[in-house]
Amino acid sequence: MAMAAWYHRDISRVHAEDLLARAGRDGSYLVRDSESVPGAYALCLLFQRHVHTYRILPDADGLLAVQVSQVRWHLGNQTIVCEVIGLLNNYLFSELPLDIENVHKGATTLCHLRRTLGNACQGLNRFQVVLITGIHGFLSHNSLSGSHLFQKRDSFCTLLQLMKTRHSQLSEPDLVSVFVGTWNMGASPPPRSLQSWVTCCGLGHTLDESTALLPHDIYALGTQENPQGEREWTEHIKATLRSYAHIDFKQVAVQSLWNMRLAVFVKPEHESRISHVNTASVKTGLGNTLGNKGAVGISFLFNGTSFGFVNCHLTSGSEKVLRRNQNFVDILRLLSLGDKQLSVFDISLRFTHLFWCGDLNYRLDLDVQDILKHVSKREFEELMCADQLTRERHKRKAFLSFNEEKIAFPPTYRYERGSRDCYLWQKYKTSGVRVNVPSWCDRILWKSYPETHIICTAYGCTDDIFTSDHSPVFATFQVGVTSQFSSKTERAWIELEGIEAIVKTASKAKFFIEFYSSCIEETRRSSENDSQSCDVPGFLKLGWSFKQLPQLLPVTSNMEYLQDQHLLLSVKSCDGFESYGECCVALHSLANASKQFETFLSHRGEEMGSIRGWVRVHVPKDKREKREKIYGGSTGTAPFLVSALLALSLPTKLSSPLSLGSFTLL
């Protein structure tokens, strides 16, 4: 492995960084004496033009060691033991002093560390360099606070994943990072620099400083009350990205509605992977005729994965919750994005990953003084109990089955412009004084197909952009993506062995099911149901046996392709062809085994019933080989470490668990 390595006894931090910058090669490192702790060493590592520094501390006996114990973390009700920590533990206590002694004698590599990591990584040589940064993740709790320790562990995992992705020898990526931002600009020009926004610096769940400046693959920035024109605004964003990432990002699309904007950018190397770009807008102001409120959207395919982005500005006013809910439904129904063949489905089911941001304008139903008291104590969970959006989601009246990361930042509205020291909650108008209690108006949510890989890695707001009465909000995600396959050799097929559904209707009509997917050659439909009963007034129980269901033929038979695909189902009446509910089913675990799926049916954002069925995907034996994903599991130690640490340190959190509600299969 080509890299530069030195040991210097008397060298400053600035000089060390200068030496590494001259080397200019990822993985170059330098070991020096610590400037602040006598007898300690500093390990400086160059990665993506940034120098990451880690301290190796002496213990009470003067030996160079790190206090480490076997660690167990819990993920749900599964206990994962990171066995590789034992390898590092043995190295730190037994072999690290030998490496340091060899460096003193003029050695240019840490041979014992290299061997230890070689055993762990099982041949991922280029991967080993970044594993060096993992040392700081196991430092003593005496030297790092708990929250800082976990933040550093998150940073380590991110760097680990990036290096594994970079050197995986894949022609197409398995994993991309996505930035989503929303900001109500308050009709004021933006500051010269927006770097804190696009690098997730500020309050809440932010990125660690060692990874904050690493560029994302996709940037989607939504604004409301934006006084700048499209060209001026997009050039401002590109200049901001260029100033810190040193990359000229390519614009995928920009869409505007009055002063609402949504702009999407990608790294230059991904430009050829983007296709089927669509843009759309919907007006929801004054009887759906004015564009002061509404939504703009952009959608596209990234290789074989569909992305949708929506930026909206919903009705304002504390008392107008129902109107905001209706705005959401109107946008779901009317925003024309994605595959036109999926027009029977609302946009929440048209994309592998749908990101929804904007000034949603949901407020806090609480006295302003109580809000201010909780904010001063950073008691955000208590405030979330009064959050209108959280309540409406719990009642399943809006954003059904969407996810939102836990909020750990102050309400982003309504601030006094020019600072973030106080909320200006009284607004003087000709009609009198209007109270705008501090609220989380600005939100970012997402919805993904089942059994897909997506992890929210940051969710917060800036604290240094003062031009508006709203703070900009940011979120970042690790998102699994799939490749395109075109092979049409030996055929696989999808067998539907039986389906049952409960639909909310008083109709006595017969029903059929339509099946949609980008992985099948054409839309197919079942025969009418062959069993039907009404055990509960207002609900019909429907059944389709094997004979009534079609055989679905995928466009390709590769297991690697099929395991990432999804079926969209729509239950329709035979007399009017009206949909009574839709759902999404993942094919991930259905290959060559009869598996049951069970989920709820929804229509235009409302829960309409439930459905379950038995499906088997038949794949020819010579097409069953599966390549392990970058973000997947492995039998090897190092990939096990990656998947375990990523799952543990970067969990996907929901502000509220969503269930099937009252619609239970009988």
Side-chain angles (χ1 to χ4, degrees), residues 1-8 16-32 42-54 108-110 114 125-126 128-133 163 166-167:
M1 175 170 49
M3 62 180 171
W6 308 276
Y7 172 75
H8 292 267
E17 292 180 355
D18 183 58
L19 284 172
L20 288 170
R22 287 184 208 167
R25 285 176 289 172
D26 277 1
S28 298
Y29 65 89
L30 179 150
V31 179
R32 61 178 176 83
L43 172 65
C44 305
L45 172 71
L46 181 68
F47 180 65
Q48 291 199 356
R49 298 185 302 277
H50 294 88
V51 176
H52 307 271
T53 303
Y54 310 99
T108 59
T109 61
L110 305 177
R114 185 183 296 276
N125 295 327
R126 296 296 298 276
Q128 295 171 11
V129 179
V130 174
L131 276 172
I132 296 173
T133 65
M163 187 61 84
R166 171 174 292 187
H167 299 294

Side-chain angles (χ1 to χ4, degrees), residues 318-453:
S318 293
E319 72 285 359
K320 296 183 180 178
V321 177
L322 296 181
R323 180 60 186 159
R324 284 189 278 277
N325 291 351
Q326 186 60 48
N327 289 164
F328 168 72
V329 172
D330 290 341
I331 295 167
L332 275 185
R333 181 172 56 92
L334 299 173
L335 198 61
S336 180
L337 290 174
D339 189 344
K340 303 306 180 189
Q341 294 184 357
L342 302 181
S343 58
V344 66
F345 300 93
D346 64 56
I347 58 170
S348 71
L349 280 172
R350 292 183 201 169
F351 306 104
T352 314
H353 304 286
L354 174 64
F355 299 92
W356 193 302
C357 69
D359 182 354
L360 275 57
N361 256 321
Y362 287 94
R363 309 300 174 91
L364 290 172
D365 286 331
L366 202 63
D367 179 77
V368 65
Q369 295 303 325
D370 290 333
I371 295 173
L372 294 173
K373 180 182 66 176
H374 284 302
V375 170
S376 66
K377 296 180 180 180
R378 300 188 63 81
E379 296 173 341
F380 301 137
E381 290 191 17
E382 288 83 350
L383 281 179
M384 288 305 296
C385 297
D387 176 61
Q388 292 176 347
L389 178 57
T390 300
R391 289 177 171 178
E392 295 307 296
R393 292 181 64 215
H394 279 194
K395 293 187 291 187
R396 311 173 79 77
K397 297 297 184 182
F399 290 91
L400 181 66
S401 74
F402 275 75
N403 303 320
E404 183 180 25
E405 176 73 358
K406 180 180 178 181
I407 289 181
F409 52 92
T412 54
Y413 174 79
R414 180 178 183 251
Y415 280 107
E416 182 178 9
R417 296 176 192 243
S419 76
R420 285 298 177 265
D421 295 331
C422 65
Y423 290 98
L424 197 65
W425 50 272
Q426 290 179 311
K427 189 173 185 178
Y428 296 92
K429 306 182 73 172
T430 55
S431 57
V433 178
R434 179 175 177 177
V435 175
N436 287 297
V437 300
S439 299
W440 285 290
C441 294
D442 312 283
R443 311 287 274 268
I444 299 172
L445 302 95
W446 76 94
K447 182 179 179 182
S448 298
Y449 282 171
E451 299 189 50
T452 53
H453 178 85

Side-chain angles (χ1 to χ4, degrees), residues 519-578:
C519 79
I520 61 176
E521 293 183 338
E522 59 182 353
T523 299
R524 298 294 305 276
R525 66 171 55 178
S526 71
S527 303
E528 64 181 36
N529 56 295
D530 54 355
S531 69
Q532 186 165 315
S533 61
C534 182
D535 301 331
V536 179
F539 294 89
L540 273 183
K541 183 180 179 182
L542 312 171
W544 291 264
S545 62
F546 170 79
K547 293 181 179 180
Q548 272 66 47
L549 297 169
Q551 184 182 93
L552 307 179
L553 298 178
V555 294
T556 186
S557 298
N558 298 74
M559 176 78 83
E560 181 182 336
Y561 170 81
L562 291 173
Q563 69 174 354
D564 292 322
Q565 304 307 307
H566 296 79
L567 293 178
L568 297 178
L569 281 63
S570 176
V571 179
K572 293 185 172 183
S573 66
C574 293
D575 55 2
F577 298 99
E578 179 184 358

Side-chain angles (χ1 to χ4, degrees), residues 54-327:
Y54 310 99
R55 184 178 294 153
I56 303 172
L57 298 168
D59 64 10
D61 299 322
L63 297 175
L64 293 172
V66 179
Q67 298 176 5
V68 181
S69 59
Q70 185 82 349
V71 178
R72 291 176 183 265
W73 288 304
H74 295 270
L75 179 62
N77 47 11
Q78 179 185 15
T79 302
I80 299 178
V81 182
C82 291
E83 299 174 348
V84 74
I85 294 176
L87 293 171
L88 292 176
N89 184 36
N90 179 67
Y91 168 76
L92 292 168
F93 278 106
S94 304
E95 298 178 331
L96 177 59
L98 300 177
D99 269 345
I100 296 298
E101 183 180 349
N102 290 336
V103 169
H104 275 296
K105 294 177 180 178
T108 59
T109 61
L110 305 177
C111 61
H112 292 88
L113 177 60
R114 185 183 296 276
R115 186 178 66 247
T116 299
L117 296 178
N119 292 335
C121 293
Q122 294 186 348
L124 294 175
N125 295 327
R126 296 296 298 276
F127 193 37
Q128 295 171 11
V129 179
V130 174
L131 276 172
I132 296 173
T133 65
I135 293 174
H136 72 268
F138 309 115
L139 286 174
S140 166
H141 288 278
N142 296 326
S143 60
L144 286 175
S145 67
S147 60
H148 191 51
L149 181 67
F150 285 114
Q151 186 182 38
K152 287 296 182 184
R153 189 188 68 192
D154 287 1
S155 172
F156 164 51
C157 292
T158 301
L159 290 172
L160 205 65
Q161 188 69 74
L162 282 171
M163 187 61 84
K164 184 178 181 186
T165 301
R166 171 174 292 187
H167 299 294
S168 63
Q169 307 300 317
L170 293 178
S171 58
E172 296 294 342
D174 278 344
L175 194 70
V176 295
S177 58
V178 178
F179 173 95
V180 180
T182 179
W183 183 27
N184 186 320
M185 298 174 64
S188 296
R192 177 174 297 181
S193 174
L194 297 172
Q195 181 164 317
S196 62
W197 187 23
V198 297
T199 57
C200 301
C201 293
L203 305 173
H205 182 191
T206 60
L207 296 176
D208 184 72
E209 59 184 10
S210 61
T211 56
L213 295 178
L214 300 178
H216 300 283
D217 297 285
I218 300 172
Y219 287 84
L221 298 100
T223 56
Q224 311 83 40
E225 299 183 23
N226 187 338
Q228 294 187 318
E230 278 188 359
R231 183 177 180 83
E232 183 182 9
W233 173 241
T234 54
E235 287 301 321
H236 194 149
I237 296 172
K238 285 195 284 189
T240 297
L241 297 176
R242 188 185 307 117
S243 68
Y244 85 89
H246 308 291
I247 296 174
D248 286 316
F249 277 80
K250 300 299 183 180
Q251 181 175 307
V252 175
V254 59
Q255 178 69 9
S256 297
L257 176 66
W258 289 26
N259 290 333
M260 204 181 311
R261 311 254 186 277
L262 176 62
V264 176
F265 305 87
V266 298
K267 282 182 177 178
E269 64 257 36
H270 297 319
E271 189 175 20
S272 63
R273 299 181 174 110
I274 303 295
S275 65
H276 298 78
V277 178
N278 286 305
T279 61
S281 63
V282 169
K283 300 174 182 177
T284 61
L286 193 61
N288 292 356
T289 60
L290 293 183
N292 63 320
K293 296 294 188 289
V296 289
I298 295 173
S299 65
F300 56 85
L301 283 179
F302 186 106
N303 284 346
T305 301
S306 56
F307 283 86
F309 296 90
V310 176
N311 168 40
C312 71
H313 196 177
L314 306 185
T315 300
S316 61
S318 293
E319 72 285 359
K320 296 183 180 178
V321 177
L322 296 181
R323 180 60 186 159
R324 284 189 278 277
N325 291 351
Q326 186 60 48
N327 289 164

